Amino acid sequence: MGKTTLKEFEAVFPLLVDEIMAVLEGYKISSEAAAWYRKVLEHNTVGGKCNRGMSVVDTYSTLTNQDKLSDEDYLRSAILGWCTELLQAFFLVSDDIMDGSKTRRGSPCWYLHEGVGNIAINDAFMLESAIYILLKKHFRNTPYYIDLIELFHDVSFQTELGQLLDLITAPEDRVDLSKFSLEKHSFIVIFKTAYYSFYLPVALAMYMAGVATPENLKQAHDVLIPLGEYFQIQDDYLDCYGDPEHIGKIGTDIKDNKCGWLINQALAIATPEQRQVLDDNYGKKDDVAEARVKKVFLDLELEKRYQDYEETVVGKIRTLIEGIDETTGFKKDVLTNFLNKIYKRSK
């Protein structure tokens, strides 16, 4: 099926910003406030890879067997894609404040921009509200309008639950590895990443294509959630073992006290001596401490452990995809396309 390009996808966004601005004009807000909101939308929503948003368009193409979408179908699927990107922007602006992060996509985090500070909290809320403005304008007369709204609400809450468990399990300023576990890690990555990054784009396209029956949504969910968990575990692995030039950043999970896959694997098999090294050094903003942790990871052969995990989980996911019932209007290709983008990726 046809694949949208970032250039095509990004061309839709200025139209949506203008629509949102028209709502502000209707409220007769000051030009200064309107200019602020426009900047919030443009700075925080555009500039990423847009994989989630473009996945909505591509999934819709696959589900409807169209190599080239009509202008109307492209626009409507791209609007749902941009709603996904607005959700991502809302999460990132909020997360950066909570984590005290310094940079995002190569420039200072939004809250660190001159004159922004805590206004960024309200800006995050307004990024989320833009989703519902666009859904109301473009989908209010569709039979699946309320399904879209409930899906965004459900996925937002699931992501916030994942963030909550992450924040109370692994605060950057208080290291306590006894709070870590593989079960907690699994919940965090499924709720914080898999639902909004993998299930949401596909479910949106399914509603638009008219194939979002409870059975089909379950078929999609049961593959996309383990796929999303695998993606995040792969991310944890690349943070430590990936090539920074490829990834575009230097990994900081060890210094940031992240409740990641590698540390949880290490805790499950470490000797008492190795455990002591991890307790003493994990989560410290210190190159020497980080090197000590990495030495334990090396001794425990975590790289091989990850490679074994990858082959096992991909085998299971392929089996799940093979079991998909396509007579219901759902298509295996949707899921295979996602898997092919992730398997053995290096960035």
Side-chain angles (χ1 to χ4, degrees):
M1 287 300 108
K3 290 273 176 282
T4 188
T5 65
L6 185 59
K7 188 178 177 187
E8 288 172 320
F9 185 68
E10 284 189 339
V12 173
F13 192 64
L15 313 174
L16 306 184
V17 173
D18 287 345
E19 289 178 355
I20 295 164
M21 289 299 112
V23 174
L24 267 66
E25 282 170 29
Y27 290 138
K28 298 191 168 42
I29 197 165
S30 75
S31 57
E32 183 190 12
W36 181 284
Y37 192 23
R38 181 182 282 276
K39 190 174 177 188
V40 169
L41 289 164
E42 290 170 348
H43 179 85
N44 292 295
T45 316
V46 182
K49 296 188 285 289
C50 290
N51 287 337
R52 294 167 185 82
M54 292 194 296
S55 293
V56 181
V57 182
D58 292 341
T59 300
Y60 181 75
S61 293
T62 303
L63 288 170
T64 55
N65 290 315
Q66 296 182 76
D67 267 332
K68 183 149 179 59
L69 295 175
S70 69
D71 289 349
E72 186 187 351
D73 276 357
Y74 186 89
L75 179 64
R76 284 161 73 82
S77 58
I79 290 164
L80 291 177
W82 277 111
C83 286
T84 308
E85 293 297 328
L86 284 161
L87 188 71
Q88 159 89 333
F90 158 53
F91 291 149
L92 296 184
V93 170
S94 310
D95 281 8
D96 286 343
I97 299 167
M98 287 181 254
D99 295 344
S101 300
K102 297 289 182 275
T103 58
R104 169 70 63 188
R105 294 172 182 162
S107 68
C109 295
W110 179 244
Y111 78 99
L112 291 175
H113 280 234
E114 189 178 344
V116 178
N118 283 342
I119 301 172
I121 299 168
N122 192 60
D123 292 340
F125 299 156
M126 292 180 70
L127 286 163
E128 184 191 26
S129 292
I131 296 165
Y132 300 101
I133 292 170
L134 294 173
L135 291 179
K136 183 177 177 183
K137 178 169 175 60
H138 293 277
F139 296 92
R140 193 158 189 258
N141 296 322
T142 66
Y144 52 88
Y145 175 56
I146 196 68
D147 295 309
L148 297 179
I149 288 177
E150 287 186 348
L151 180 61
F152 272 103
H153 282 152
D154 290 347
V155 168
S156 297
F157 188 53
Q158 286 158 334
T159 308
E160 288 151 9
L161 287 174
Q163 175 74 340
L164 170 64
L165 188 60
D166 195 13
L167 289 167
I168 63 175
T169 301
E172 269 198 60
D173 58 345
R174 198 172 63 256
V175 181
D176 180 1
L177 297 185
S178 68
K179 284 187 161 191
F180 286 18
S181 70
L182 283 164
E183 291 74 26
K184 278 185 183 172
H185 175 262
S186 181
F187 185 96
I188 289 166
V189 301
I190 287 171
F191 279 75
K192 191 176 167 179
T193 301
Y195 275 108
Y196 95 92
S197 299
F198 288 82
Y199 178 68
L200 174 64
V202 172
L204 289 169
M206 290 169 73
Y207 279 114
M208 192 176 150
V211 298
T213 62
E215 297 74 22
N216 280 345
L217 288 168
K218 185 175 189 314
Q219 289 199 100
H221 172 280
D222 291 352
V223 175
L224 290 163
I225 296 306
L227 195 60
E229 183 176 19
Y230 159 49
F231 172 84
Q232 186 57 51
I233 288 170
Q234 191 180 48
D235 227 41
D236 292 354
Y237 168 78
L238 290 171
D239 185 88
C240 185
Y241 292 104
D243 178 350
E245 295 225 344
H246 254 91
I247 302 166
K249 62 179 182 181
I250 294 165
T252 60
D253 283 3
I254 293 171
K255 289 181 180 177
D256 291 346
N257 189 35
K258 283 284 168 27
C259 181
W261 188 82
L262 292 168
I263 184 65
N264 278 293
Q265 289 292 328
L267 293 170
I269 55 172
T271 64
E273 294 78 20
Q274 289 169 325
R275 172 61 190 253
Q276 193 59 54
V277 173
L278 296 174
D279 280 330
D280 292 345
N281 294 281
Y282 197 78
K284 290 206 165 129
K285 311 279 189 196
D286 175 338
D287 290 346
V288 176
E290 182 187 46
R292 289 189 191 116
V293 173
K294 286 190 172 181
K295 173 73 166 62
V296 173
F297 287 1
L298 186 71
D299 294 343
L300 293 171
E301 298 184 337
L302 292 191
E303 205 164 350
K304 172 156 192 337
R305 204 174 177 86
Y306 168 76
Q307 285 153 3
D308 292 345
Y309 157 80
E310 182 170 50
E311 293 313 312
T312 304
V313 77
V314 169
K316 284 180 184 166
I317 290 167
R318 286 196 170 126
T319 303
L320 286 169
I321 293 172
E322 276 310 302
I324 294 289
D325 177 6
E326 292 194 303
T327 63
T328 59
F330 192 51
K331 289 191 163 49
K332 294 176 186 175
D333 280 356
V334 167
L335 304 170
T336 305
N337 291 343
F338 270 87
L339 179 58
N340 289 345
K341 281 181 198 163
I342 297 167
Y343 182 52
K344 297 281 188 193
R345 74 187 170 101
S346 59
K347 60 181 178 180

